[in-house]
Amino acid sequence: MNLKKHIPNLITLGNLFCGTVATIFAVEGNFIYAGLFVVLGILFDFFDGFAARLLNVSGELGKQLDSLADMVTSGVVPGIIVYKLLIENAAGIQDFNEQSYLPFLGLLLTLGACYRLAKFNIDTRQSDSFIGLPTPAMSLFIISLPLIQEYSTVAFAQELIASNYFLIAVTLILTYLMNAELPLFSLKFKDYSFKKNIIVYSFLFASLILIYTLHFLSIPFIIILYIIISLINKIIVFNGNSQNPPK
């Protein structure tokens, strides 16, 4: 039995374990630990691919396991968090009907993530980059919201998150972005040269500055920055190809 080929799959199962634990905490309304286990799961998600490439043991089983684990960590958990936030916000409204179906709109994120992950598995265009917002990026955006509400000193941000209109708008926008024909660069390194990875290094450097200055509030801005840099890069590449057509 070749144990080496199972190492990436075991790491992927670590992602699934973290996602399952995060789900339990999210249902209980413990957003701090839910967020912590989502981040741990996303780290496992990053390193399973790294391990597969390092050990040269990539396979179809690992690809399917990866999407199934992501479905929990970056699909189910964010949907539950928005569901819980919508309930908490509405509970402060006079004559709130606890049987309201409004909070279930948060689960659109779960459905959108499932659809995106299924498309990703059969889309050969996404080997070196992404088309549509990756589910881990969406998940990080969502898990930051209750933490911003709890720990941020920016009153405007807290008021936004306390608005169900804002939460529903975020849910609809992120669900769309996950499945949009939106070209986004990948954070995977083929090598570590600065010249070939200037976009990735610039993004990571800007992200560190945002984290240092804004703490939890930095996470939505980092995701927005990721989308903006990707679009700018796409425009630059498109213009470069237009000016230098293949002969």
Side-chain angles (χ1 to χ4, degrees):
M1 182 178 180
N2 187 359
L3 293 177
K4 184 177 75 170
K5 70 178 183 180
H6 295 292
I7 292 175
N9 292 340
L10 290 173
I11 297 173
T12 302
L13 292 176
N15 175 15
L16 178 58
F17 173 79
C18 289
T20 306
V21 175
T23 301
I24 295 170
F25 281 121
V27 169
E28 294 175 346
N30 190 332
F31 300 128
I32 296 176
Y33 281 103
L36 175 62
F37 276 95
V38 165
V39 171
L40 287 175
I42 290 173
L43 288 175
F44 277 119
D45 183 41
F46 176 82
F47 284 110
D48 64 359
F50 178 80
R53 291 188 294 272
L54 183 66
L55 299 173
N56 194 27
V57 290
S58 299
E60 189 62 27
L61 175 62
K63 182 178 180 181
Q64 299 303 323
L65 275 177
D66 189 70
S67 288
L68 291 170
D70 279 349
M71 183 57 217
V72 178
T73 306
S74 299
V76 174
V77 177
I80 292 174
I81 288 176
V82 174
Y83 169 83
K84 297 287 286 187
L85 287 176
L86 287 169
I87 288 178
E88 288 182 4
N89 289 348
I93 301 174
Q94 189 175 8
D95 299 326
F96 168 64
N97 180 6
E98 292 188 359
Q99 302 302 317
S100 170
Y101 296 108
L102 176 69
F104 288 99
L105 286 174
L107 299 182
L108 286 175
L109 290 171
T110 303
L111 302 182
C114 181
Y115 194 80
R116 182 202 152 62
L117 289 166
K119 284 203 309 179
F120 181 83
N121 280 354
I122 61 174
D123 192 342
T124 57
R125 299 173 298 168
Q126 300 191 58
S127 57
D128 297 320
S129 59
F130 297 113
I131 298 175
L133 185 68
T135 53
M138 177 276 292
S139 187
L140 288 172
F141 191 108
I142 293 301
I143 66 171
S144 72
L145 298 180
L147 301 180
I148 292 169
Q149 196 173 37
E150 181 71 24
Y151 297 106
S152 176
T153 58
V154 180
F156 178 70
Q158 293 176 328
E159 291 171 4
L160 267 183
I161 299 168
S163 166
N164 278 350
Y165 292 109
F166 172 77
L167 292 177
I168 292 170
V170 165
T171 297
L172 295 175
I173 291 170
L174 290 177
T175 301
Y176 168 75
L177 289 177
M178 281 190 289
N179 293 285
E181 288 292 310
L182 181 68
L184 300 169
F185 67 88
S186 171
L187 294 176
K188 297 176 181 177
F189 290 92
K190 288 187 175 180
D191 60 59
Y192 295 97
S193 66
F194 181 78
K195 185 176 181 180
K196 292 182 179 180
N197 298 285
I198 185 170
I199 293 176
V200 177
Y201 282 124
S202 299
F203 170 71
L204 292 176
F205 180 70
S207 298
L208 288 174
I209 293 176
L210 286 171
I211 291 170
Y212 179 76
T213 55
L214 299 176
H215 307 295
F216 289 124
L217 187 57
S218 68
I219 298 175
F221 286 105
I222 289 172
I223 305 303
I224 294 169
L225 179 66
Y226 172 55
I227 295 171
I228 292 173
I229 292 177
S230 295
L231 292 176
I232 292 173
N233 179 58
K234 181 65 176 179
I235 293 170
I236 292 172
V237 171
F238 177 79
N239 289 338
N241 292 337
S242 299
Q243 294 174 7
N244 300 286
K247 297 180 181 179

